[in-house]
Every structure is written in structure tokens, then in C-alpha cells.
Amino acid sequence: MDNDVLRQAALFGALDDDAASALAESLSEVKIRRGDVLFHEGDSGDELFIVLDGKVKLGRTSVDGRENLLAILGPGQMFGELSLFDPGPRSATVTAITDCTFASLSHDELLKWLEARPVVASGLLAQLAGRLRKANDVVSDLVFADVPGRVAKALLDLADRFGRTADDGVHVHHDLTQEELAQLVGASRETVNKALADFASRGWVRLEPRSVVILDIERLARRAR
Ligand code: CMP
């Protein structure tokens, strides 16, 4: 298992090396292929997962079949703990957008760690608080920001986690289709395509299949405000 990636996970945040190795031993490795579903919204579940390699999308489907993406998660990020702290079914469907490897930890095992090591709980609380903060931003943006503003913000967020700086700009290999990008910002594919084409014509980004190169990060950030 990739210990460097595990160490980035909120659960491991404040553990010393010995405790981190002991926690790593409680984990099992799970692999799925691109397009596979790890679990569905509404399933019951008793494990949390840390992404070791790859990217997943967390999605919800409306009664009329429309899809909304809550988040895209990559290496070091964790999910699947809500159904433990707020007992109930899984709150989202998790689908691999690339081949993925996860570390899984049963909720029972997590509870043992939380009781024995309060620092594990503080790592988890920090992650939950960060997620709530982000969810609040998303709600405000849905009310106050226009679609191009939301697209700009989504690109910057993806760049923050998946970007690689090169001479010509920040290369963001997000692995999302334009449809998925639209589901992430809560707008139609046509409106999102228009915003992307506008950014490209202004020279702020270069569009490539399933990736984008951010050429002018400052202007894009200004548009996201
Ligand atoms: P759970 O409900 O067990 O399964 C789906 C998981 O998706 C959930 O736990 C959280 O870990 C994760 N999740 C739900 N909503 C969000 C969100 N807005 N941002 C990031 N992760 C989320």
C-alpha cells in the first residue's frame, strides 16, 4: 500500500509513525476499473475508503434521472464515513473515472481507533468541517454566481488538486467529459461548453480531451470571484 499517499489522508494527519503503521495494517486494498461503481446512493455500507490511486466521482441522481456531481476525489482523499456518523444509507454513488485503488477500513475498526486515539477523530472532524465549508460555497455559488463563474471556480479547484505546472501553464488532467463537468457545476452541457469556449477564445485556457491547460490563472481566478 502507498504509505506516502496514506499519510496525506485526514485520518492519518496527526498520528506518529508507529500508530500510522498500525492503522495502515487495519486497511485492505480494493481495486476497481474505470467506469465501475464502488457503491450506489441508497446502499447500506460499513466501510470508508481512502483513494490511493486514480479519481472517483461522487454523484446523485434525481427522480427524473438527472445527475449531479458532488465532488471529484483523488489520491489521499477519503469518503464513506457519513453513513457511520449519521447512520443511514450511502448518500452518493461512487464511480471510478479512471482505474482506481483504494484502502478500505471497516466502520467497526474506525470506531476502535476513534476511541483509542482522539487525534484520529480530530483529523476526521477537520475533513468534515472542510467539506461543509466547501458545500456552503457551492450553495452560495449556485445562488449568486453565473455559470462561467462556477466553471472557472471548478477548473481552479481541479487545478489545485490535479494540476501540474509546466512552462505554458497549469496542465489539469481532470479525466471528466464535458457532460460530467456540467454535472459538477450544476448547469447544462451547452452552457458549460459556451463558457469554456469563451475562456479559450480569450486565451485563458486551452481545451484538450478530458483535460485543460490553464494559460492565465489570474484572469480565471478573477472570473471565479
Ligand atoms: P457515505 O454517505 O457513507 O457514502 C457516500 C460518501 O460521499 C459520503 O459518505 C461522504 O463520505 C462522501 N460525500 C458526500 N457528500 C460529499 C461532498 N459534498 N463532498 C465530498 N464528499 C462527499
Side-chain angles (χ1 to χ4, degrees):
M1 222 172 265
D2 189 333
N3 280 329
D4 289 344
V5 178
L6 276 182
R7 283 303 246 160
Q8 295 167 24
L11 213 54
F12 282 79
L15 288 180
D16 59 44
D17 288 348
D18 286 348
S21 310
L23 178 54
E25 275 173 24
S26 319
L27 302 172
S28 315
E29 202 169 86
V30 178
K31 282 178 187 280
I32 61 173
R33 305 302 301 262
R34 176 177 159 186
D36 287 352
V37 171
L38 182 65
F39 56 72
H40 286 95
E41 178 182 358
D43 286 355
S44 59
D46 56 6
E47 285 168 303
L48 68 77
F49 298 87
I50 298 167
V51 182
L52 293 177
D53 189 35
K55 293 188 196 82
V56 289
K57 59 177 182 179
L58 273 46
R60 306 187 74 156
T61 310
S62 67
V63 276
D64 60 2
R66 284 173 302 154
E67 278 208 46
N68 164 237
L69 294 186
L70 297 171
I72 307 296
L73 304 184
Q77 294 190 286
M78 193 186 75
F79 59 91
E81 77 300 324
L82 282 192
S83 45
L84 168 67
F85 297 118
D86 179 22
R90 295 294 196 188
S91 58
T93 297
V94 176
T95 310
I97 51 182
T98 64
D99 291 352
C100 281
T101 308
F102 309 101
S104 75
L105 179 70
S106 74
H107 286 169
D108 287 347
E109 193 66 33
L110 173 64
L111 283 176
K112 283 191 214 153
W113 275 89
L114 293 175
E115 278 158 22
R117 302 264 184 167
V119 288
V120 175
S122 60
L124 259 176
L125 283 172
Q127 152 136 349
L128 288 175
R131 199 186 286 161
L132 179 59
R133 206 185 267 277
K134 202 163 178 182
N136 285 348
D137 283 348
V138 169
V139 173
S140 295
D141 288 343
L142 283 172
V143 176
F144 299 128
D146 59 2
V147 174
R150 303 207 302 264
V151 173
K153 207 166 204 178
L155 293 180
L156 292 169
D157 176 53
L158 291 165
D160 206 30
R161 287 170 308 128
F162 305 118
R164 187 178 46 79
T165 304
D167 287 345
D168 55 346
V170 183
H171 289 236
V172 189
H173 196 59
H174 51 63
D175 288 296
L176 299 172
T177 62
Q178 293 206 332
E179 182 73 45
E180 288 168 328
L181 207 50
Q183 291 166 353
L184 188 62
V185 298
S188 71
R189 192 162 62 85
E190 292 71 23
T191 331
V192 170
N193 283 353
K194 221 169 116 192
L196 288 170
D198 178 55
F199 295 167
S201 73
R202 290 169 191 271
W204 299 353
V205 302
R206 190 170 72 235
L207 302 173
E208 292 176 359
R210 291 180 184 259
S211 70
V212 62
V213 182
I214 301 181
L215 304 168
D216 191 336
I217 206 149
E218 273 171 27
R219 288 222 163 75
L220 198 65
R222 238 179 278 153
R223 188 62 184 84
R225 264 188 230 131

